Amino acid sequence: MSTSSSYGAARATRCVFVIDDDKSIRNLLQTLLSMEGHSVLEAGDGREALELLGRDGEAFVPDLFIIDAAMPVMGGYELIRRLRARHDTRSTPIIMLTATEKKMQELIEVEGVLFMKKFCSNAEIFQAVRTLLVGDAPVRSRAEPLAPPSGEYETDKGLEIVRFPAKVVPVDAAPPTADPHAPEPAPAPSGLDDESTMDLNLKSLLSGSPDLARLWGAGVRSIEPRSGAAGGPPVSDFSPVIQLVECVFEDAIRRQASDIHIESKQDCLLIRFRIDGALQSLYRLPSEIKANVIARIKIISNLDVSEKRLPQDGRFSIQRGGVSAEIRVNTLATMHGEKIVMRILRRTLSPKKLCELFPTPEDLKHIETALKSPTGLILVTGPTGGGKTTTLYAMLQALNTPSRNLMTVEDPIEYPLDGVTQVPVQSQIGFTFEKILRAVLRQDPNVVMVGEIRDGETAEIAMKAAMTGHLVLSTLHTNNAPMAIYRLTTMGIRPHLIVSALKLVVAQRLIRLLCPHCKEKAELKAEESVDLSKSERERLKDTFVPRGCEHCQGIGYHGRRSVNEVMSLESHEMRQMIMDSANPDVIRQQAMKEGMITLRQDVLRLVAAGETSLSEAMSIYYVD
């Protein structure tokens, strides 16, 4: 039996009783809970916990139990059964910890118990503890998102509501006077700085633990390929490293991340997720196991585990929580080891509608007019990750009828579309964009989508296809719509071909939206108004800024939407300027005269409407 504070201190503050047979888990929770000002008692199993509690009605009652599901002497379920049979602990809130989402799905529902994965972020631990230590807090089954405490809750279908005694002190209230004889709470280790406080610091959980060998097998061992591959014996699906990698994938899907970054640092393995376009640090793993984690990802991606110097590309498919996704993997050797970046392509997402991507009536009208044409070229421009493919798929969906033959050339195919013939590029065998495009044009297509125009040869084929009875959709990398004209000319496309083929250019960016639950109104700062015109400053006297709450995981932003610049090339003046090889700035001025809404104008309109912040908009209007 061990305690981290005396009983007197436990009653003066909020007392959390942690029961887990793994000392490293207890140490981590003790550190995190001490940072919140809580007192922590520890026990190694259920029997030891009951001995510490004493007899029913005669001993102290902690404010919260955190119990491991699997313990050797008395497991979590048996302990909970006995706690619920007691009069004094019958209504005390309980958090039960288990290893993975898959294991959680096998657990039996217990009324008044919140199930959580051990491999979750510190923010989730803080949120759960804060919620359960507030009077009249609900306990949700499994790992459903916790609602902010408000004092009144309704019983939803499938949601267990348990009322707790009002004697519990709210987290935001001033703490009561502590026992002068009680020891000071243990200080947070230096590894838990401001950034990693919100991360799951697995290094403090694993490093130096006497149970490290039990957690990760007999020592930190290398992961070898499965049987049939050269290099070693098969690996069990219950390997701790395999379970850890599974937890990372499950968490990425749950958080709706678009990318996973696994970065080898000097002293750790850092795992970050790109959520709504911004990277967030979520996990830090000990440097001793980074080779194991990287090797595991290489194995499931069919990459060469022994090759650590050259970059490699691979892919694999997963299905988690009803979401089917393909993971594209790229490895790169760095100073401290390999870095892996994985792009998550969700198969279950349905293509968006054009009206969702282009809410401005003027822009939508230009798009729909261009799509009605049986021939011509429509270009969508912007940086990588700007939503170009999503827009092309929305256009294909609008054109997808039984009377049309729609074909695509993609590298890779990101989403399967019913009714559309999709052909993947395979550069390793010489099956390139231009070769596939030539073959596709002999398949009697009405509409051809080319994933990207990368060189002059592909551009020329696309131009000629657009002039010979096909509607061609494609993408180009430029900062704005007028620059697409200049980019095509630098590829060797002559102006008269551009005038004959090009119908419409759409420049596009994705911008984060403020969380509607926590955004705050703020006055425009002087430093923010330096690059704004007088009319823009008048429109933006009051703006909104991010704050952070439970709904947005403390970020202040939730979701994204597109910012667009739609340039039509139908007017005689515009065509003449292209024939005369006019400067892109001159073409831009003409497009604005004809009613084009620029990226800057579109994003500042969102700022004025309170949908995004000015700091978020700067990344767009500075480029524009």
Side-chain angles (χ1 to χ4, degrees), residues 47-94:
R47 184 175 301 172
E48 184 179 335
L50 292 174
E51 291 176 358
L52 181 60
L53 285 176
R55 294 183 180 180
D56 186 6
E58 297 182 4
F60 76 95
V61 178
D63 299 296
L64 173 67
F65 289 100
I66 300 181
I67 302 174
D68 184 23
M71 293 181 287
V73 179
M74 181 186 292
Y77 274 107
E78 176 62 19
L79 175 59
I80 291 174
R81 187 186 68 80
R82 298 198 182 192
L83 292 176
R84 289 297 184 245
R86 294 168 59 115
H87 174 74
D88 52 1
T89 59
R90 183 174 301 166
S91 59
T92 305
I94 296 174

Side-chain angles (χ1 to χ4, degrees), residues 98-170:
T98 186
T100 64
E101 186 73 31
K102 181 179 179 181
K103 187 67 178 175
M104 285 176 61
Q105 293 171 359
E106 300 172 357
L107 296 177
I108 304 170
E109 294 283 358
V110 178
E111 183 176 354
V113 177
L114 170 65
F115 291 84
M116 293 186 67
K117 291 186 296 183
K118 286 186 178 180
F119 294 105
C120 61
S121 68
N122 289 358
E124 291 173 313
I125 295 175
F126 288 143
Q127 181 185 352
V129 172
R130 288 169 184 168
T131 302
L132 294 180
L133 287 180
V134 173
D136 291 338
V139 174
R140 293 177 180 267
S141 60
R142 304 297 184 206
E144 298 181 38
L146 292 170
S150 65
E152 293 184 2
Y153 298 89
E154 296 180 357
T155 303
D156 298 327
K157 184 177 181 181
L159 183 66
E160 297 292 343
I161 304 297
V162 177
R163 303 288 179 179
F164 297 117
K167 65 182 179 68
V168 187
V169 180

